[in-house]
Amino acid sequence: MNPSHIRNFAIIAHIDHGKSTLADRIMEQTQTVNDRQSKAQLLDDLQVEQAHGVTVKSRTVRNYYHADDGQEYEYNFIDTPGHVDFTYEVSKSLAASDGAILLVDATQGVQAQTVANLRLAQDNHLVVIPVVNKIDAAAADVDRTITQIRDLSPEFADVPVLKISAKTGLNVHDVMEAIHTTIPAPVGDAQAPLKALVFDSQYDAFKGIIAYVRVVDGQLKANDNLVLMANQQAVAANEIGIFAPARVPAKQLGVGDVGYVVTGLKDPQALRVGDTLTLVANPTETALPGYEPAQSMVFAGFYPQGDHYHDLQLAVEKLALNDTSFHYRPENSEALGAGFRCGFLGIFHLQIIRERLHDEYGLDVLTTAPNVTYRVHLKNTGEPVVVNNPIKFPDYSKIDFVEEPLAKATITTTSESLGPVMKLADQHRGTLQDMNNQGDLVVLNYELPFAEIAYDFFNALKSVSHGYATLTTALAGYDLADVVKIEVHVNYARVDALSFVVHREDAPRVAQELVHKLKFVIPRKLYPMPVQSVVEGKALARVDVPPLRKNVAANGEKKSASKKAAQLRRQSANKRQAAHSDIELPQEVFNAVLDLEK
């Protein structure tokens, strides 16, 4: 199709503002899917997406729209998630788009993630169409919502704000018209050497890596010999095609087209999202700028339950390809054996990856407590040691000082919840840097230790703000921190996988809370087992896991109390000696660490 009739766009919205429903109406009105294929939230096909009601993985679909001007247009819609943990997925989608629809719920108004996603669109210099959804709802306040939208940016001062109901399809036709009249057509040279942006990827067990591409210049044809410019990886275009929304093979892709390339590559590390695809015979001179790789904010260990290490290895490799913001590397634990140290964008991201491992690969994993990266400066050495695993934290006698990562956190909330939000930030060692208003919302800029927000800060923020606050973070450097490693000893054996790092002043309280939680979740043996929290060689807290044992002395014979006691002592000592290192820990034990208020 002529590039002047192509439109590449995304829909950006806060969670539950109707983005997936509008996508369904667009596909219906362009007859991309028939009545038999149609279902609610068609593009949210992952089980975790349907379970949580959120979009996790961005999807792409091509629609053909017959406009009121009599022309046929190609609408390439690139779906985006709405949760703050998946902002990286949004940035990938926007990098391949020329415009965006800003969708706002009339019953809730502009919310924090609306602002965050709008900033991403503006950073990508996209044309934005403001749309108010759910205008037919009883609680809708359309005028107030439009005022909030206009206050977001000067560019909305004079543009018309469309009013629709994605659920019923009311006025969705106006959105369809606005896409081709407002969003610019892609710009590119069809005669230039091929230059295509790899903006996403997927792993297929039979076809290998499938690259999602947006053609910027030139022509991409089936069976072309291609090369990925970042590491000069040769690729054969075994099959190319479009998304409708299932993969449909095509003979070629031109300027502005969005589609896929079946590369045949089997190594998940061979393809990098953001790379440039070009021809071997006639390569382009300059690669596309791409975008920064995702920075992991939270680290946790994944270990297989049972003898399933190889299955877990294959699963995390494929997940890392399908979700480029998920990182991993192998590690070993004395207590849990071989596993992986994984990096996530947030705690909800961690939860989603765990559920995908279960739903898509049938694997249940043990998950250790999340943590962040520390710089540990050792005595009599120059370079600091970077530690993102508490197991590798050096002995306290060797440490000179420790630096922890700081987050530049931007919290956007309503004025009604300003007090509780600021109190929450203060409780997590936050330092207020700046405060300003953006329409009816208040924007707070804090400096927070990453360790304080690694686990439950976002959930607590949602709770105190009744769901209206959002959080965006960026690394603001490192600062001195007085932190210690808490080790857990079960039956006098150190369980390295339960180790974690906390601030020194919190250590006594956390140590006490931990051992009392572990008392009820560690599986009982036929003898009492001591559980200790040890900091710098000293036990700060101890409890005994009560025994679950058969009284060998009570066998119906009449014996003195002293003989019974002697037999029980021998039983306890023998069992303890035999099972000193035989410690099997269920996920409930690690959940006890996760639930601590650090």
Side-chain angles (χ1 to χ4, degrees):
M1 181 172 284
N2 191 317
S4 64
H5 285 187
I6 296 176
R7 299 292 184 271
N8 297 321
F9 70 97
I11 302 176
I12 51 178
H14 191 84
I15 274 186
D16 201 32
H17 277 211
K19 176 179 56 62
S20 296
T21 307
L22 178 57
D24 292 345
R25 298 293 86 75
I26 290 174
M27 288 187 288
E28 286 176 8
Q29 296 203 8
T30 56
Q31 298 180 340
T32 303
V33 293
N34 55 39
D35 293 340
R36 183 178 179 182
Q37 297 171 313
S38 181
K39 65 176 182 178
Q41 281 86 41
L42 179 64
L43 296 182
D44 293 343
D45 58 351
L46 293 178
Q47 188 170 333
V48 290
E49 294 177 319
Q50 296 165 4
H52 291 278
V54 300
T55 302
V56 169
K57 177 70 176 170
S58 63
R59 290 285 305 276
T60 303
V61 59
R62 177 182 289 191
N63 309 274
Y64 292 101
Y65 175 62
H66 294 277
D68 292 348
D69 61 7
Q71 301 293 319
E72 184 181 57
Y73 291 88
E74 177 187 310
Y75 284 0
N76 290 312
F77 166 55
I78 304 171
D79 194 15
T80 64
H83 193 280
V84 66
D85 272 15
F86 302 101
T87 301
Y88 188 66
E89 288 284 322
V90 178
S91 66
K92 292 193 303 183
S93 299
L94 296 181
S97 302
D98 299 307
I101 297 171
L102 178 68
L103 193 67
V104 182
D105 187 338
T107 66
Q108 303 182 57
V110 168
Q111 291 187 270
Q113 201 58 33
T114 310
V115 180
N117 287 338
L118 174 61
R119 290 180 190 142
L120 286 175
Q122 291 173 331
D123 291 343
N124 282 273
H125 309 291
L126 302 186
V127 175
V128 179
I129 302 172
V131 178
V132 177
N133 189 25
K134 304 185 184 179
I135 62 172
D136 57 338
D141 190 344
V142 178
D143 293 337
R144 177 173 174 268
T145 305
I146 291 176
T147 302
Q148 290 177 339
I149 291 174
R150 295 199 187 281
D151 289 341
L152 285 176
S153 175
E155 67 184 77
F156 295 149
D158 301 319
V159 301
V161 179
L162 303 180
K163 293 170 280 190
I164 70 166
S165 170
K167 184 176 182 180
T168 64
L170 178 65
N171 296 335
V172 172
H173 178 75
D174 295 341
V175 178
M176 305 294 290
E177 285 294 308
I179 292 172
H180 75 82
T181 58
T182 307
I183 295 175
V187 178
D189 184 357
Q191 305 305 317
L194 173 66
K195 182 187 293 185
L197 170 69
V198 179
F199 68 89
D200 208 347
S201 62
Q202 182 183 3
Y203 188 89
D204 185 279
F206 302 103
K207 297 184 178 182
I209 300 174
I210 300 174
Y212 293 20
V213 298
R214 153 80 189 268
V215 179
V216 178
D217 290 326
Q219 300 285 327
L220 175 58
K221 298 179 181 179
N223 300 317
D224 276 345
N225 291 319
L226 308 172
V227 63
L228 292 162
M229 297 184 70
N231 51 11
Q232 295 300 306
Q233 172 68 51
V235 172
N238 299 332
E239 176 185 312
I240 66 172
I242 62 171
F243 299 97
R247 294 194 299 267
V248 178
K251 293 183 179 179
Q252 71 175 33
L253 299 174
V255 172
D257 281 337
V258 175
Y260 69 89
V261 178
V262 176
T263 65
L265 297 173
K266 294 293 185 179
D267 179 10
Q269 308 299 323
L271 182 140
R272 193 181 76 187
V273 171
D275 205 347
T276 302
L277 200 61
T278 190
L279 292 170
V280 172
N282 184 22
T284 184
E285 294 182 359
T286 56
L288 294 164
Y291 34 85
E292 291 293 321
Q295 297 294 322
S296 298
M297 300 299 180
V298 172
F299 294 88
F302 277 3
Y303 294 90
Q305 293 188 3
D307 188 19
H308 298 292
Y309 175 79
H310 184 63
D311 295 336
L312 180 60
Q313 180 182 22
L314 294 176
V316 296
E317 285 178 355
K318 294 172 184 177
L319 275 182
L321 186 66
N322 294 343
D323 182 351
T324 51
S325 54
F326 166 60
H327 300 129
Y328 71 94
R329 60 180 178 79
E331 74 170 7
N332 278 284
S333 162
E334 293 178 7
L336 301 178
F340 296 92
R341 170 70 25 177
C342 303
F344 310 90
L345 298 180
I347 202 68
F348 185 60
H349 189 202
L350 186 157
Q351 179 184 350
I352 290 296
I353 293 295
R354 279 183 61 184
E355 291 187 21
R356 290 188 66 183
L357 285 171
H358 178 270
D359 296 341
E360 299 174 28
Y361 301 98
L363 292 173
D364 290 313
V365 294
L366 290 173
T367 307
T368 62
N371 64 280
V372 297
T373 302
Y374 293 93
R375 284 182 184 169
V376 182
H377 294 257
L378 304 178
K379 297 174 182 177
N380 304 321
T381 58
E383 292 296 319
V385 178
V386 177
V387 179
N388 62 17
N389 186 347
I391 298 173
K392 305 295 184 182
F393 208 80
D395 187 79
Y396 66 95
S397 62
K398 301 178 182 179
I399 296 175
D400 187 11
F401 62 93
V402 180
E403 293 179 303
E404 67 177 349
L406 295 178
K408 180 183 178 183
T410 302
I411 302 173
T412 310
T413 186
T414 58
S415 55
E416 292 83 1
S417 56
L418 178 61
V421 168
M422 294 184 70
K423 181 179 179 181
L424 178 69
D426 291 340
Q427 290 172 346
H428 287 77
R429 308 177 193 279
T431 304
L432 182 63
Q433 305 289 317
D434 189 21
M435 180 194 303
N436 54 67
N437 295 324
Q438 188 160 23
D440 291 342
L441 299 174
V442 181
V443 181
L444 304 169
N445 292 311
Y446 270 93
E447 195 170 73
L448 285 153
F450 257 119
E452 293 288 332
I453 60 177
Y455 181 56
D456 66 342
F457 181 80
F458 183 69
N459 292 337
L461 179 65
K462 285 293 185 183
S463 178
V464 300
S465 65
H466 306 291
Y468 285 95
T470 193
L471 171 71
T472 57
T473 56
L475 184 63
Y478 285 76
D479 195 15
L480 288 175
D482 188 10
V483 296
V484 294
K485 179 171 77 167
I486 293 184
E487 296 180 345
V488 177
H489 292 196
V490 179
N491 198 22
Y492 303 110
R494 181 170 62 90
V495 183
D496 55 359
L498 291 177
S499 302
F500 58 93
V501 178
V502 297
H503 284 84
R504 185 183 298 274
E505 64 184 56
D506 293 334
R509 174 184 58 82
V510 172
Q512 288 286 347
E513 290 180 6
L514 176 60
V515 295
H516 284 90
K517 284 179 177 288
L518 293 178
K519 177 179 179 180
F520 300 102
V521 294
I522 288 181
R524 296 181 180 186
K525 300 284 188 179
L526 293 176
Y527 51 88
M529 287 194 303
V531 177
Q532 297 169 299
S533 291
V534 179
V535 174
E536 295 183 345
K538 300 177 182 177
L540 294 189
R542 166 181 169 151
V543 297
D544 284 340
V545 177
L548 182 68
R549 65 186 178 186
K550 181 180 179 182
N551 192 337
V552 296
N555 58 2
E557 300 179 15
K558 291 183 178 180
K559 293 186 178 180
S560 68
S562 60
K563 287 187 176 181
K564 290 181 181 180
Q567 280 188 291
L568 289 174
R569 280 197 299 270
R570 287 196 297 272
Q571 178 195 48
S572 179
N574 292 339
K575 292 288 186 180
R576 190 193 303 279
Q577 186 68 30
H580 179 75
S581 59
D582 181 23
I583 303 171
E584 294 183 4
L585 302 178
Q587 182 61 46
E588 288 76 11
V589 176
F590 297 94
N591 290 345
V593 181
L594 300 183
D595 293 339
L596 289 172
E597 295 182 4
K598 300 176 195 173

